Amino acid sequence: MGPTVERRAARGAGFLLLALGVYIVIDSARLLLTSNRPESSPVGIVLTVLSLIAMPPLARAKLGAAAGLGIRALRADAHETIVCAWLSATTLLGLGLNAVLGWWWADPVAALAMLQVIVREGVDAWRGEAGEGEVA
């Protein structure tokens, strides 16, 4: 893969992470300002659990391949996968706290807590600051 294509792919992954951060801020603010309670469905919960189970090993495999092949774009994609796993965990935590304690605000607050990681990974991918040989 040529350096130009790889740089564009890494920047694309970084852009998607930053766009996700913007979405989280907007949606969390909307939920907190309107006191909107999260809804859940059995299918949604099952998909979230499956995501939480599958994403960490997939991210490790991607990081290993990226380090072995020296592909920054794959490393950026691996970090998107890590963010997906964390968001799945925060979603389940938020739904659980709402169901057990009635804390309707837990889900948007947990998502906002993820912003630092999402923005940092997005900026790193955009700039092409991949740590060589880094595996989770």
Side-chain angles (χ1 to χ4, degrees), residues 70-87:
I71 300 175
R72 287 188 340 221
L74 184 55
R75 181 184 181 277
D77 183 64
H79 282 275
E80 286 181 349
T81 306
I82 292 167
V83 167
C84 178
W86 277 107
L87 288 173

Side-chain angles (χ1 to χ4, degrees), residues 40-132:
S40 62
S41 71
V43 172
I45 292 171
V46 168
L47 288 174
T48 305
V49 169
L50 290 175
S51 174
L52 186 56
I53 292 168
M55 292 301 163
L58 178 60
R60 278 191 292 281
K62 287 179 180 182
L63 285 171
L69 298 171
I71 300 175
R72 287 188 340 221
L74 184 55
R75 181 184 181 277
D77 183 64
H79 282 275
E80 286 181 349
T81 306
I82 292 167
V83 167
C84 178
W86 277 107
L87 288 173
S88 295
T90 60
T91 298
L92 285 174
L93 178 65
L95 289 172
L97 289 172
N98 181 44
V100 174
L101 301 174
W103 292 0
W104 60 268
W105 47 266
D107 187 44
V109 168
L112 288 170
M114 288 291 305
L115 275 179
Q116 179 184 2
V117 172
I118 294 168
V119 170
R120 183 186 67 232
E121 293 301 333
V123 169
D124 286 353
W126 181 264
R127 291 181 180 162
E129 296 174 3
E132 297 304 319

Side-chain angles (χ1 to χ4, degrees), residues 12-38:
F15 173 78
L16 290 174
L17 283 166
L18 294 171
L20 175 62
V22 170
Y23 170 78
I24 287 171
V25 168
I26 291 169
D27 194 53
S28 294
R30 179 185 62 82
L31 292 171
L32 290 170
L33 292 172
T34 63
S35 301
N36 197 356
R37 301 189 185 282

